[in-house]
Amino acid sequence: MLGYLIRRFLSALFAIWVVITVTFIFMHLIPGGPFQTEKAIPEAIKENIEARYKLDQPLHIQYLDYLGNVVRGDLGPSYKYRGQTVNDIISERFPVSLQLGLLTFVIAIVLGVGAGIIAALYQGRTPDYITMFFSTIGISVPSFILGTLLMYVFAFRLGLLPAAMWGTPQHVIMPAVALAGLPTAFIARLTRSSMLDVLNQDYMRTALAKGLSRLRIIWVHAVKNAIIPVITYSGPLLAAILTGSFIVENIFAVPGLGKHFVTSIYNRDYTVILGLTIFYSILLIGLNMFVDFAYTLIDPRIKLTGGKE
């Protein structure tokens, strides 16, 4: 196991380095710069600003300096927000995305897995058709369309929920439901397919022949094995949700990290773009590694050396 952990850690470091390098190169290939505005500024002032942030140095020197800062945990200052560093922005904005993301994740897992199990147990009957109908809609309708419809119905027409902003539990409901639409639908279909496959296995028929109750067989044997594909999907899903939906956060004026990432691209705020990209990458890689460990809890036959006994 120790060898496996070391390999995964080294591969994670390599992946993060690749992300930093590629992002750094392409970011500097984009025309313009962080201090280029519609109103021209004197060349001397521009040179002083670039010298302050070391943007006047050769590109490879900037790259090496940035790598050294990242190793120390310093993601640099923001070029557009005076007195704020990228670390400050992440610590301030990520808790908002975290609250929204965790609620969205819980909704998607609970509703998706529950609907998928019901659809599999009632295959070819009304609950199955209803589940597949709504899951098809959930996959087909983009989150920003669903968010707009929710806002129109529950905020403008019925007046039950606030249309936008942040600060109370009521503000979280509509953006969380809008974000949960697609993953809930996907998890429901994935769970149904996996559940049907497990129910048709020989060991399930053997358990029934031995006289075990159907309820025990379903919850102890079928669900436990059928849930593994959902766990595989849940790692990247949680990372994607926690980083926030750029469009949904803008629609509902949620002051999360995703909205800040979009703003930094518009502003050519190099350090914020790089810092948030690194943060997203670490989050995604870390959650994928966590999923590998979760496999061993669900199915003891799966070993961290990469196979089954």
Side-chain angles (χ1 to χ4, degrees):
M1 180 183 293
L2 181 60
Y4 174 81
L5 293 176
I6 293 175
R7 289 195 301 272
R8 285 301 302 269
F9 179 73
L10 293 177
S11 64
L13 290 180
F14 178 74
I16 294 171
W17 172 76
V18 171
V19 169
I20 295 174
T21 303
V22 172
T23 306
F24 185 90
I25 293 173
F26 279 96
M27 185 178 61
H28 283 83
L29 290 177
I30 299 175
F35 304 110
Q36 182 174 340
T37 60
E38 295 181 359
K39 182 179 179 181
I41 61 176
E43 190 64 27
I45 295 178
K46 182 180 178 181
E47 290 177 357
N48 288 335
I49 295 175
E50 290 181 346
R52 176 186 176 186
Y53 292 104
K54 300 181 180 180
L55 295 177
D56 58 338
Q57 297 184 0
L59 200 59
H60 69 279
I61 298 297
Q62 296 183 44
Y63 172 72
L64 294 176
D65 285 344
Y66 187 79
L67 280 181
N69 292 333
V70 170
V71 171
R72 293 191 296 271
D74 181 10
L75 298 178
S78 170
Y79 296 153
K80 292 295 183 177
Y81 298 94
R82 291 185 179 180
Q84 279 196 308
T85 65
V86 180
N87 299 65
D88 294 334
I89 292 173
I90 292 175
S91 62
E92 177 184 345
R93 301 288 183 169
F94 182 63
V96 176
S97 292
L98 180 63
Q99 295 175 41
L100 177 60
L102 288 179
L103 178 59
T104 302
F105 183 75
V106 171
I107 292 173
I109 293 294
V110 172
L111 295 184
V113 171
I117 292 174
I118 293 173
L121 296 178
Y122 293 91
Q123 183 186 13
R125 286 179 277 180
T126 301
D128 185 20
Y129 295 140
I130 293 175
T131 299
M132 290 300 98
F133 173 75
F134 282 105
S135 66
T136 301
I137 292 178
I139 291 175
S140 304
V141 178
S143 59
F144 64 90
I145 296 294
L146 180 58
T148 304
L149 290 174
L150 290 172
M151 183 183 293
Y152 174 75
V153 174
F154 292 99
F156 298 136
R157 299 293 296 179
L158 301 179
L160 298 176
L161 294 171
M165 301 306 292
W166 191 260
T168 67
Q170 289 78 15
H171 287 99
V172 189
I173 297 175
M174 286 196 293
V177 172
L179 283 174
L182 189 149
T184 301
F186 186 85
I187 290 174
R189 298 175 72 93
L190 183 63
T191 304
R192 176 185 180 273
S193 175
S194 181
M195 191 74 175
L196 287 174
D197 182 64
V198 171
L199 290 174
N200 291 323
Q201 296 294 320
D202 291 337
Y203 71 86
M204 296 296 294
R205 289 189 286 268
T206 301
L208 281 172
K210 288 182 177 180
L212 295 177
S213 67
R214 182 173 175 81
L215 183 63
R216 176 178 175 82
I217 293 172
I218 290 173
W219 290 108
V220 176
H221 299 286
V223 173
K224 183 177 180 180
N225 290 289
I227 206 72
I228 291 178
V230 177
I231 295 176
T232 304
Y233 175 64
S234 65
L237 169 65
L238 182 57
I241 291 176
L242 287 180
T243 54
S245 169
F246 304 156
I247 300 177
V248 170
E249 286 190 4
N250 276 278
I251 290 175
F252 292 100
V254 177
L257 204 56
K259 183 178 180 180
H260 220 79
F261 187 61
V262 174
T263 305
S264 68
I265 296 175
Y266 291 149
N267 291 335
R268 301 289 197 277
D269 201 342
Y270 292 162
T271 51
V272 175
I273 296 172
L274 269 170
L276 296 187
T277 302
I278 295 170
F279 180 74
Y280 291 167
S281 301
I282 294 174
L283 195 60
L284 179 60
I285 293 171
L287 287 171
N288 280 330
M289 293 179 66
F290 175 77
V291 166
D292 289 344
F293 286 102
Y295 285 155
T296 62
L297 300 178
I298 299 297
D299 189 348
R301 296 171 300 169
I302 300 176
K303 302 300 180 182
L304 290 181
T305 53
K308 288 187 177 183
E309 287 185 340

